[in-house]
Amino acid sequence: MSGQVVAGGNGKGNGSNQLDRPTDVVVDNKGGFLIICDKGNRRVVRWPGRDGIVGETIIANIDCYGLTMDDARFLYVSDERMGQVKKWSVERDTRTMEGILVAGSNRPGAELSQLHNPTFIFVDRAGLVYVSDTGNRRVMKWAQIDGIGSLVGGDQDPKFCPAGVVDSLDTVYVADSGNDQVLRWPNATSQGSDETNQLKCPKGLAFDRDGYLYVADSENNRVRRFNIDPN
């Protein structure tokens, strides 16, 4: 019936015990940490998963928005200003490392090799990187090896505003904040179908182990759960 503060909670600020407009979080189960995109402070911070009092900056000076982590404990971070996604190994000291570019280029744009204001990201078991390319109103997929992305969906509807993106059983789900809906593309087809209703500016998405889809219904100030038929 009530939540517990596990990071921040000391007012908006840039102190080691504060956050400023956090936008995304992942759980590093092996390390026992929460990793948070502290967007307002242009940093990625790591907090102890339990009884954390202060956080530690692990990536500084980055216009981060979305985070995800793969099974090899590589941390992926989207950089809105640079129009790219990079990854870091959390097994090493990320403070002294330059991230590895996995999507986008060093210049924002609309070509297949570029991103513009990338936000939420997801990495599947095959290592494919899905990106909500918000500035281009599209969802992109990158193989991390050739420097060229492929279009998953979007790019036609002027109101389409992709946010949270996940892949489940070869079906891509994306929160469409502009149209107040969640879309899915079976087998990454170009035509999406509406999966939910009664949403207002949905943002983040997540599946649990039982196949339930959780949606951050941002302007209704709630989180909703849906039982999605995989067929």
Side-chain angles (χ1 to χ4, degrees):
M1 297 301 294
S2 62
Q4 175 186 358
V5 176
V6 294
N10 296 292
K12 176 180 175 181
N14 61 4
S16 61
N17 66 341
Q18 294 177 303
L19 298 170
D20 182 357
R21 286 169 290 159
T23 53
D24 209 353
V25 57
V26 296
V27 180
D28 179 9
N29 288 313
K30 184 175 180 180
F33 293 100
L34 301 175
I35 300 178
I36 303 165
C37 174
D38 189 10
K39 176 178 170 60
N41 288 315
R42 301 186 64 243
R43 65 187 182 185
V44 177
V45 295
R46 179 168 59 193
W47 285 66
R50 294 185 179 181
D51 302 321
I53 298 175
V54 297
E56 171 193 16
T57 298
I58 59 173
I59 304 172
N61 301 316
I62 182 171
D63 291 282
C64 60
Y65 196 104
L67 303 172
T68 194
M69 184 179 290
D70 65 17
D71 293 339
R73 297 186 74 211
F74 276 95
L75 177 68
Y76 296 72
V77 185
S78 63
D79 186 328
E80 287 189 290
R81 184 176 66 86
M82 296 298 293
Q84 60 187 209
V85 176
K86 287 187 173 183
K87 70 177 181 180
W88 286 260
S89 172
V90 297
E91 302 278 3
R92 303 173 64 183
D93 187 354
T94 56
R95 295 170 298 180
T96 61
M97 296 174 56
E98 179 66 25
I100 301 170
L101 183 66
V102 296
S105 64
N106 291 314
R107 182 169 59 88
E111 300 295 329
L112 290 179
S113 61
Q114 297 175 305
L115 297 168
H116 179 43
N117 282 72
T119 54
F120 293 97
I121 48 181
F122 179 82
V123 180
D124 68 12
R125 293 184 179 274
L128 297 174
V129 181
Y130 295 85
V131 185
S132 286
D133 189 12
T134 306
N136 289 316
R137 304 189 315 277
R138 64 189 185 186
V139 177
M140 300 293 291
K141 178 174 67 175
W142 296 71
Q144 301 191 51
I145 56 175
D146 54 11
I148 300 294
S150 59
L151 179 67
V152 174
D155 201 30
Q156 300 296 324
D157 182 356
K159 288 184 63 179
F160 180 65
C161 183
V165 57
V166 293
D167 178 40
S168 176
L169 301 175
D170 295 323
T171 299
V172 178
Y173 294 78
V174 61
D176 178 7
S177 297
N179 290 301
D180 301 325
Q181 61 188 3
V182 174
L183 292 171
R184 69 175 176 182
W185 285 275
N187 299 312
T189 60
S190 59
Q191 180 64 43
S193 60
D194 182 9
E195 274 304 301
T196 62
N197 54 23
Q198 297 180 337
L199 299 171
K200 185 67 173 176
C201 196
K203 293 288 187 180
L205 299 178
F207 274 98
D208 67 12
R209 294 181 179 180
D210 297 320
Y212 286 97
L213 176 67
Y214 294 79
V215 182
D217 189 8
S218 66
E219 292 194 9
N220 282 321
N221 305 307
R222 63 188 180 183
V223 175
R224 299 194 67 193
R225 184 180 73 176
F226 296 89
N227 185 7
I228 301 298
D229 182 354
N231 298 316

